[in-house]
Amino acid sequence: MAAPLDHYTGQTACEDSHSPLRDFLRTETGSAAVLVAAALGALLWANAAPAAYASFWDARLSVMIGAHGLSLPLREWVNSGLMALFFFVVGLEARREFDMGELRDRRRLALPLAAGVSGMLVPVAVYLSVNAGEASARGWGAAMSTDTAFALGMLAVLGHRLPSGLRIFILTITVVDDFLALGVIAVAYSEQVDVPALLVAVAVFGVVLLVRGLGVRRGVVYALLALVGWVALLESGVDPVVIGLAMGLLTYAYPAAREDLEHATGLFRMFREQPTPELERSVRAGLASAISPNDRLQGLFHPWTSYVVVPLFALANTGIPLDAEQFGRAFTSPVTLGILLAFVLGKPLGIVGASALTHVLSRGRLRPPVGWGAVTAGGTLAGTGFTVSLLIATLAFDGTQLENAKIGILSALVGTFLTSRLVTGVVAILPAGLRQRALLGDAETITDLVVPVDPDRDHIRGPRHAPVTVVEYGDYECPYCGQAEPVVRELLGDFGDVRYVWRHLPLTDVHVHAEPAAEAAEAAAAQGRYWDMHDLLLSHQGALRLDHLRQYAARIGLNVERFDRDLRSHRGAARIAEDVESADLSGVAGTPTFFVNGRRHHGAYDIGSLSAAVRAARERAAVGAR
């Protein structure tokens, strides 16, 4: 029976084997179904019991502290309160992309920034052209913003043949989109501004910057300051969701360092020997400090925003009465038609047009991370406006116009699905070579592996100059590396054009025999039998003492005396240290960690996941070769 997938997701002494970006993508995609269910539930509720729906969300909830407090309708608590948490998570993801993701290469910011801005301006122009001279023109903000959950959810349904890089491209554009949309809300759709309250909010934000500059890491301090800032913005008339994005953008993201993980291991061992409350607090603090605040907060809040906050927002705002008369009125309304055309036509035109113009003006130096067919598909998928569009619609309209705007937003989802399906269908019928170029493009990819493979130095299995290289940082005592070994063998058997490289990363703080085992492999390499020793070590991970190493040397026909001499002199230690240094430079903190053609492989390392990564790398290499 095949091993379960989670059997191939473990790592020793490192951060979770799923990166925050992968977790974000998976959660957003899954939450799209919950979001659809919430929107449908709101429609059913509003049509089955319209009075009950309206009275429930218009009911006021008061929070009082002594003589002071807030009293808001339930819908306002959701739109201005819980949605601040949603924008906080958006800010976290934007900061992570800037610190660790595709945008860490600042040159790559220009094209998605241009595409994101144009992908908002063109839909606004379309909406205004339809609503020219009408009072409804003030609702232009409802026609510009992409919903990340719907866009990525639709990509999961339609994009099984699209490159994985398209997800990153869409996500980057939606981050720009959300940031600008929030600025529009703050400037164009806020009430009359109360200057003293706004100054209080600005002062609170200044305190947040001061506290962060002093190195304070206590989350409760920032939470209290954010709450005060939220109340001040609410009183000022500026939509308080602004504070969420600002706090998210201030939250650093960085990979877990091996030194921090080793320190956490030492603290845990001390606690194991002496389990006192003081050491328990030290262990928790040490574990927390090893992971960036951005990672911890995303892990804590992202599921809540995806599965609770945004669906609750949809439930509170999507409910409208639907009948033939309502539809007839809506589709003759410039509000509905403007929003529908803005998303279905304006969004893809803005994104694809700006990407192409940036490419031309830069003389080819700035290129999208995927091919133009994939960019076009991404442009159509970006036409899925929902969350922020609904939020702005509730600020810009009321009564019949608000109902028409909601119908336009929901209709745009259907239109976007159909146009996206058309684009992906056209790409799928192209000839194989043209299709690969249309999907993958020819942009250079970011290389995560800092020290490139050197055929004259590295231990290589497979063709010396193969188009695809799989690098594994491993530890001979790591059980997960042992689980990965048969997968690697199967991978090499299935693909004849793949070379495999093993680099040492002995985790000496948790595996006491890992370093001697690595030196034994290097001692065997000195006699030309590296891979024989490598295979024995991984197949006997529970027997790595010195006497076992000598037995393995004899079994594979080594000169045992020379082998012993090399072990005693630590002949291979310098080579192992070089591998460890290269791991540190590439941000590797645990084992096993895989790189495929220089790109770090995130997620499971079962045969299906690694094969998919190899196929994608091979296709990209073939496109580059042409």
Side-chain angles (χ1 to χ4, degrees), residues 118-120 122-124 126 340-351:
S118 177
M120 299 180 80
V122 174
V124 168
V126 171
L340 177 61
L341 293 174
F343 281 121
V344 175
L345 296 179
K347 268 289 183 182
L349 286 175
I351 290 172

Side-chain angles (χ1 to χ4, degrees), residues 242-255:
V242 173
I243 194 68
L245 184 65
M247 295 298 290
L249 289 171
L250 288 177
T251 308
Y252 293 120
Y254 49 80

Side-chain angles (χ1 to χ4, degrees), residues 319-576:
I320 51 174
L322 297 177
D323 53 39
E325 181 181 352
Q326 174 73 13
F327 274 112
R329 183 173 64 246
F331 284 103
T332 58
S333 164
V335 173
T336 303
L337 295 176
I339 291 175
L340 177 61
L341 293 174
F343 281 121
V344 175
L345 296 179
K347 268 289 183 182
L349 286 175
I351 290 172
V352 177
S355 299
L357 184 60
T358 303
H359 177 71
V360 171
L361 292 178
S362 69
R363 297 182 179 180
R365 290 190 297 272
L366 297 178
R367 304 177 183 184
V370 291
W372 290 106
V375 169
T376 304
T380 60
L381 290 168
T384 52
F386 190 79
T387 306
V388 178
S389 295
L390 273 178
L391 181 60
I392 295 178
T394 61
L395 298 173
F397 300 121
D398 54 26
T400 301
Q401 283 190 333
L402 178 57
E403 292 179 354
N404 292 340
K406 290 179 179 180
I407 291 176
I409 293 168
L410 294 175
S411 300
L413 290 176
V414 178
T416 294
F417 179 85
L418 295 177
T419 54
S420 300
R421 184 67 186 87
L422 176 63
V423 170
T424 55
V426 170
V427 171
I429 63 175
L430 293 174
L434 185 58
R435 182 174 66 250
Q436 292 302 326
R437 182 168 290 277
L439 292 174
L440 298 174
D442 54 2
E444 293 184 5
T445 59
I446 290 180
T447 300
D448 300 310
L449 187 68
V450 174
V451 179
V453 171
D454 181 355
D456 295 325
R457 176 199 176 277
D458 282 299
H459 301 299
I460 295 176
R461 237 176 188 160
R464 183 178 174 87
H465 299 292
V468 179
T469 301
V470 177
V471 176
E472 177 184 358
Y473 281 93
D475 171 319
Y476 287 118
E477 201 174 357
C478 167
Y480 303 114
C481 294
Q483 294 169 7
E485 175 62 16
V487 174
V488 170
R489 284 184 171 276
E490 185 176 352
L491 188 74
L492 293 175
D494 292 343
F495 295 91
D497 57 350
V498 173
R499 62 178 182 176
Y500 167 72
V501 175
W502 171 280
R503 285 181 175 175
H504 302 290
L505 183 58
L507 304 173
T508 54
D509 57 322
V510 290
H511 297 145
V512 296
H513 300 110
E515 183 83 21
E519 292 188 12
E522 291 304 320
Q527 298 186 45
R529 304 298 296 273
Y530 173 81
W531 289 109
D532 297 311
M533 179 63 78
H534 171 90
D535 295 341
L536 277 174
L537 294 172
L538 284 177
S539 61
H540 296 81
Q541 291 185 303
L544 297 177
R545 297 194 309 271
L546 185 58
D547 56 328
H548 295 129
L549 301 179
R550 290 194 181 100
Q551 293 173 18
Y552 303 150
R555 186 184 304 183
I556 62 176
L558 297 182
N559 181 324
V560 178
E561 290 185 3
R562 179 184 172 186
F563 177 82
D564 276 340
R565 189 165 57 249
D566 288 343
L567 282 184
R568 286 195 301 271
S569 65
H570 301 287
R571 174 175 177 170
R575 164 65 180 269
I576 296 166

Side-chain angles (χ1 to χ4, degrees), residues 7 13 40 50 61 90 113 148 194 203-204 222 303 387 462 576 585:
H7 188 68
L40 292 176
L61 174 64
V90 170
L113 179 61
T148 306
D194 183 321
V204 169
Y222 294 98
T387 306
I576 296 166
L585 291 173

Side-chain angles (χ1 to χ4, degrees), residues 574-588:
R575 164 65 180 269
I576 296 166
E578 290 176 359
D579 281 357
V580 171
E581 182 181 6
S582 74
D584 291 339
L585 291 173
S586 299
V588 178

